[in-house]
Amino acid sequence: NQCYARYLRFHGNTRGMINDVHAFGFVLRCHIGEKARNHLRLSLRYMIAGIILHFYEMQHKMSEMDLRYLQSLGILSPGDVQVMIRMQPQHRSMVTLHWSSLAASKGVKKAEAPSQVQGLLTARLLQVSQSQEEIVDTLALPVPFAYYHILSVMVIVNLGMWAYRMALTES
């Protein structure tokens, strides 16, 4: 059943995104934990903000009040909110993921972590971004179940009529 597969894909992408965030935090904590604690916290706050903003974007609802709410939770700073108010709402989650990457990169340098740590963190961030894009793409093209089957029948009948007509023509 294709409708059910669509929801399984949503579930898989959402779970994958959450797992990648967890792995990102785990790698950060293991490699830069005590040496660059502020970078660790900032990077994770931006990562969490990126996920929350993504779900707001999926609902096509994002007001200044929502950003202020994230500020009141301590996820965004007043300066972050001011910057986000001026940007396109659909870009906010990607920008915060970028900020998370920058904070993590500076933390890796400050903690003098092994060079491959930056690659691990970048891979997780790219996975989160890819999962977000797949969710948005799936939502952007909702094809009703009945419409899919009607269209399939129309294509099969049309191809059958063409095959019959070609069989009757002399070439």
Side-chain angles (χ1 to χ4, degrees), residues 76-91:
L76 295 174
S77 70
D80 297 336
V81 171
Q82 289 305 315
V83 170
M84 288 190 178
I85 287 171
R86 293 190 302 259
M87 71 176 66
Q88 296 282 334
Q90 65 271 20
H91 297 155

Side-chain angles (χ1 to χ4, degrees), residues 108-132:
V108 167
K109 287 178 186 170
K110 182 177 179 183
E112 299 173 354
S115 58
Q116 64 267 25
V117 171
Q118 186 63 44
L120 291 171
L121 294 172
T122 301
R124 292 300 179 173
L125 274 167
L126 291 174
Q127 278 298 116
V128 168
S129 176
Q130 182 181 0
S131 294
Q132 288 179 346

Side-chain angles (χ1 to χ4, degrees), residues 31-42:
H31 292 285
I32 73 169
E34 296 301 320
K35 295 178 183 175
R37 183 177 294 266
N38 289 338
H39 291 88
L40 167 79
R41 289 181 178 175
L42 182 63

Side-chain angles (χ1 to χ4, degrees), residues 5 15 17 35 48 65 75 77 85 90-91 93 96 102 109 119 129 145 161 167:
R15 290 293 310 159
M17 187 169 43
K35 295 178 183 175
I48 291 167
M65 279 182 37
I75 296 173
S77 70
I85 287 171
Q90 65 271 20
H91 297 155
S93 67
T96 54
L102 292 174
K109 287 178 186 170
S129 176
F145 187 71
M161 290 171 59

Side-chain angles (χ1 to χ4, degrees), residues 50 52-62 88-94 132 136:
I52 293 171
L53 291 170
H54 168 71
F55 286 112
Y56 273 122
E57 289 168 11
M58 285 187 345
Q59 298 173 354
H60 302 291
K61 299 179 204 172
M62 175 53 72
Q88 296 282 334
Q90 65 271 20
H91 297 155
R92 291 175 180 155
S93 67
M94 294 309 286
Q132 288 179 346
V136 169

